[in-house]
């Protein structure tokens, strides 16, 4: 019977840490196959945080194919076929009913997830499966002793998909986080780009026009992209809400200096 380890996640996006853990599971003989189960919608995450599900699956497919064991590390769309939002226990039941005669399943999850497992739907039923827990920095694997297997020597994930998205949104380098093919896919599709982030912030500002943090973030993105007018508008918007906002005042001053220099350079040679 084939031993299949299920690694559930949004993979938003899949990164090198995910693949390193799947490779570890295979190398340690914990499974015959490690499967990245891409969740179309987690009940614990806002849907607007997620890239389109097929984009996330295709990136997982690229990353798995580039792994050390492409024939043993694969993505799955099984949760795309089930009702949303996706609950782990429902997926496990579906897999057991349809493939239980030829496969036995285990679960791979992070210590951050095990810490809140008791809030999951029918978590006691989930614990009837072998559950392997890998470490996350700052997230001790506590609880359910004797019912889980702690992988203390598994590769430690120093960053999460949130960090990857933040770097992409800020236009920063992600080469140590992402497979080249995944990075190229993200670039080609414009996922989490500064422009996309600006559009998302603009929508949120329309909903909460007095949230200075949103203006600051959008203004900083405009600033990095050399869009001085929109940047200044955002920092001035903050100062209209909070005249003592130190960061907005500093950025507004810098933008004004840039504009004054350019104006002088163009019109007063």
């Amino acid at each position: 019977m084939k031993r299949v380890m299920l690694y559930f996640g949004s993979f938003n996006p899949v990164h090198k840490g995910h693949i390193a853990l799947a490779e570890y599971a295979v190398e340690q003989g914990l499974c015959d196959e490690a499967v990245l189960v891409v969740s179309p919608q987690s009940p614990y995450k806002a849907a607007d945080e997620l890239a389109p599900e097929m984009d996330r699956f295709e990136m997982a497919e690229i990353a798995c194919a580039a792994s050390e064991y492409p024939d043993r590390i694969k993505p799955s769309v099984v949760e795309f076929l089930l009702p949303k939002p996706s609950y782990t226990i429902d997926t496990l039941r579906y897999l057991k009913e349809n493939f239980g005669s030829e496969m036995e399943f285990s679960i791979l999850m992070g210590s951050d997830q095990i810490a809140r497992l008791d809030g999951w739907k029918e978590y006691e039923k989930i614990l009837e499966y072998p559950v392997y827990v890998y470490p996350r920095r700052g997230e001790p694997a506590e609880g359910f002793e004797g019912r889980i297997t702690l992988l203390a020597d598994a590769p430690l994930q120093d960053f999460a998909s949130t960090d990857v998205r933040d770097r992409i949104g800020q236009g920063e380098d992600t080469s140590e986080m992402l497979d080249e093919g995944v990075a190229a896919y993200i670039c080609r599709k414009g996922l989490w780009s500064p422009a996309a982030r600006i559009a998302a912030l603009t929508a949120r500002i329309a909903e909460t026009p007095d949230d200075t943090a949103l203006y600051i973030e959008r203004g900083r993105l405009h600033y990095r992209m050399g869009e001085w007018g929109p940047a200044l508008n955002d920092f001035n918007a903050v100062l209209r809400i909070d005249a003592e906002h130190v960061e907005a005042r500093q950025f507004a001053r810098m933008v004004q200096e840039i504009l004054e220099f350019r104006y002088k350079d163009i019109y007063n040679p």
Side-chain angles (χ1 to χ4, degrees):
M1 185 172 288
K2 183 183 292 186
R3 298 172 302 139
V4 177
M5 178 173 284
L6 303 171
Y7 187 4
F8 293 88
S10 299
F11 302 108
N12 189 46
V14 63
H15 55 66
K16 290 182 178 180
H18 294 134
I19 298 302
L21 286 163
E23 291 173 341
Y24 167 88
V26 169
E27 289 167 353
Q28 296 298 310
L30 302 177
C31 59
D32 300 314
E33 285 187 2
V35 176
L36 277 61
V37 182
V38 182
S39 299
Q41 182 183 339
S42 166
Y44 306 105
K45 294 184 179 180
D48 61 2
E49 294 179 358
L50 299 175
E53 59 190 42
M54 283 310 301
D55 283 329
R56 290 183 287 118
F57 173 77
E58 289 186 35
M59 286 185 284
E61 197 169 38
I62 291 168
C64 290
S67 74
E68 293 291 330
Y69 311 100
D71 57 333
R72 300 178 66 185
I73 299 175
K74 303 173 182 179
S76 170
V77 296
V78 62
E79 290 198 338
F80 294 8
L81 310 175
L82 302 175
K84 300 180 181 65
S86 306
Y87 290 96
T88 298
I89 188 59
D90 294 337
T91 306
L92 290 169
R93 285 199 178 103
Y94 174 86
L95 290 171
K96 187 172 183 179
E97 289 171 4
N98 289 276
F99 305 101
S101 62
E102 55 195 85
M103 300 178 184
E104 57 183 28
F105 301 102
S106 61
I107 303 167
L108 178 66
M109 66 171 61
S111 56
D112 56 327
Q113 293 173 305
I114 200 70
R116 59 174 184 265
L117 182 64
D118 59 2
W120 291 21
K121 178 181 177 181
E122 298 182 51
Y123 74 93
E124 290 285 353
K125 293 291 185 181
I126 295 173
L127 288 168
E128 292 178 3
Y129 291 81
V131 176
Y132 295 89
V133 178
Y134 60 85
R136 295 294 303 271
R137 194 175 298 282
E139 299 281 355
E142 297 176 347
F144 307 108
E145 286 80 2
R147 304 179 69 183
I148 64 171
T149 301
L150 179 62
L151 304 175
D153 61 343
L156 183 63
Q157 287 189 276
D158 279 327
F159 57 87
S161 293
T162 301
D163 302 310
V164 178
R165 296 195 303 272
D166 287 345
R167 282 206 183 184
I168 294 169
Q170 302 296 337
E172 298 175 358
D173 178 60
T174 58
S175 58
E176 77 276 19
M177 296 176 163
L178 296 176
D179 168 75
E180 288 183 8
V182 173
Y185 185 97
I186 290 170
C187 183
R188 185 168 68 253
K189 297 301 264 316
L191 300 174
W192 308 293
S193 66
R197 182 59 181 163
I198 286 172
L201 288 167
T202 299
R204 291 177 63 190
I205 287 170
E207 297 173 356
T208 54
D210 293 329
D211 190 335
T212 58
L214 298 178
Y215 287 104
I216 286 290
E217 184 179 351
R218 190 175 69 175
R220 289 167 67 179
L221 286 169
H222 283 306
Y223 184 89
R224 287 191 178 91
M225 297 171 71
E227 298 171 347
W228 312 120
L232 185 58
N233 288 341
D234 279 337
F235 299 132
N236 282 338
V238 174
L239 293 172
R240 285 194 294 271
I241 298 168
D242 177 7
E244 304 303 318
H245 198 289
V246 175
E247 185 176 7
R249 187 168 298 282
Q250 290 174 339
F251 266 110
R253 186 180 301 116
M254 288 189 293
V255 174
Q256 287 169 340
E257 289 174 355
I258 291 169
L259 291 174
E260 287 171 4
F261 174 80
R262 290 196 166 194
Y263 179 83
K264 180 178 180 181
D265 184 55
I266 294 172
Y267 296 104
N268 298 286

